[in-house]
Amino acid sequence: MKVPTRLLLLSIVLPVLAVSCQTTESSDSQDKTTALPTRLAIVNQSGLYTETNHYAAFPSIIRTEREIVVKFETQNLQALRSAKVKHPHYRPVAEPVWVVSTDNAATWTITTNAPTIGKVLDNTFGGALPDGATFDLAWHYIKGTTTRPPFVLNIYHGTLAQPSWSEHLPIFDHVYLHGVSRMPDGSHLACAYNKTGVTLYQGSVDGKHWQQISHIDPPAGEPFDLSEGSIAVYDDGRVVLVVRADWSKKKDPEEKFKPEGSQYFRLYQLDSQDFGKTWSQPHQLPIWGQPAFLLKLRSGNLLMVYGHRSAPYSVRALLSHDRGQTWDAQSEITLQTFEPGGWDIGYPVATQLNDGRILVAYYGYLTAATQLDSPHGIFSCVIKESQN
């Protein structure tokens, strides 16, 4: 059964903060006489990083010609608690860790030394460049504070140890980037957000130069702001943007619109037909969860993975067979359930492997403790498309 995405705007809320991005190499062409796969199936699941004295979060995937790298940050729980910040996402004692597979996601090796890389095919936290290099748009709070400089553009050639080119980009000051996708001409489309709404930027082929191309205001009269998004770009100019909606204390100081119920933790979608220059009005999706990550698959389907931030707390995936015009509720599967659980899970990212399987990475609870400073680990799930 296909569920129409255009529903009435309803109130929704959610406070949080973080970043995750996407690039895509899929072609839009497909044989129209061939039926698209309509279901998803789990191949295997792995705990990539399960140290119970650490808080690990926000994985990204870098897929190269010879290996797959899952990059994330960890914080020692004792040091994190000593820092006395309000939220682990301020990352006061964060250290990078990499998990590497050289056998197509069959086995993984943990390292605190940045790996060397070959030609990059996909980077879910930035993009792949024509010469085989990769870039990301990174940020960090100043240690022990809630202040951060503008985003830094890092370009890596051959190794992830040190960027070969790095520069602060003032255009990304006072915003949070969340979502990058490659355009048909090799340039890049990125979305960012702050309390004024969601802004779209186009970046040059080399990733060094960016300009604002559109802005999406929060829905008038609604008690929430739009925030973290993910983008899927098609060759004919269609762009699908799925964003989360965060409850606004300024708009709703008494939290009247923050009930525990079906309107909490919803996703909204906007569509563009001119590569992100203009947008439809946001419409609520029949999907309870956030934030989301979109991935165009070689079959022609569009994959969405997201955190279901209510019981049963889980990470889920589903398909659209018509480029995001509708979402197939019957295709939805649960990749992993966290029980007991809480809202601090998810931020999944995904890439499609050479054999067509799909690797999804995300974070979540390691123990029965569900406080903000409880142990969190990094997990992966390999899934595949099927006809039934």
Side-chain angles (χ1 to χ4, degrees), residues 255-274:
E255 301 189 36
K256 292 181 179 179
F257 295 94
K258 194 179 180 184
E260 289 290 343
S262 62
Q263 312 315 322
Y264 200 22
F265 294 173
R266 293 279 181 170
L267 290 165
Y268 282 72
Q269 181 174 321
L270 302 95
D271 304 286
S272 172
Q273 305 304 327
D274 54 10

Side-chain angles (χ1 to χ4, degrees), residues 13 45 71 102 109 114 147 165 196 244 255 257 297 304 318:
V13 294
Q45 298 168 307
K71 179 184 178 181
T102 58
T109 301
T147 302
W165 193 91
T196 70
R244 66 183 283 176
E255 301 189 36
F257 295 94
L297 302 177
M304 182 194 299
L318 80 164

Side-chain angles (χ1 to χ4, degrees), residues 82-142:
S82 297
K84 297 181 179 180
V85 297
K86 291 183 178 179
H87 200 294
H89 294 181
Y90 291 129
R91 300 143 71 189
V93 292
E95 299 291 341
V97 175
W98 295 266
V99 179
V100 181
S101 176
T102 58
D103 55 10
N104 214 28
T107 60
W108 298 89
T109 301
I110 300 172
T111 178
T112 55
N113 297 317
T116 58
I117 54 175
K119 180 180 179 181
V120 173
L121 304 176
D122 192 16
N123 180 355
T124 62
F125 213 83
L129 299 177
D131 62 358
T134 187
F135 75 89
D136 61 34
L137 293 159
W139 59 277
H140 288 276
Y141 288 105
I142 297 172

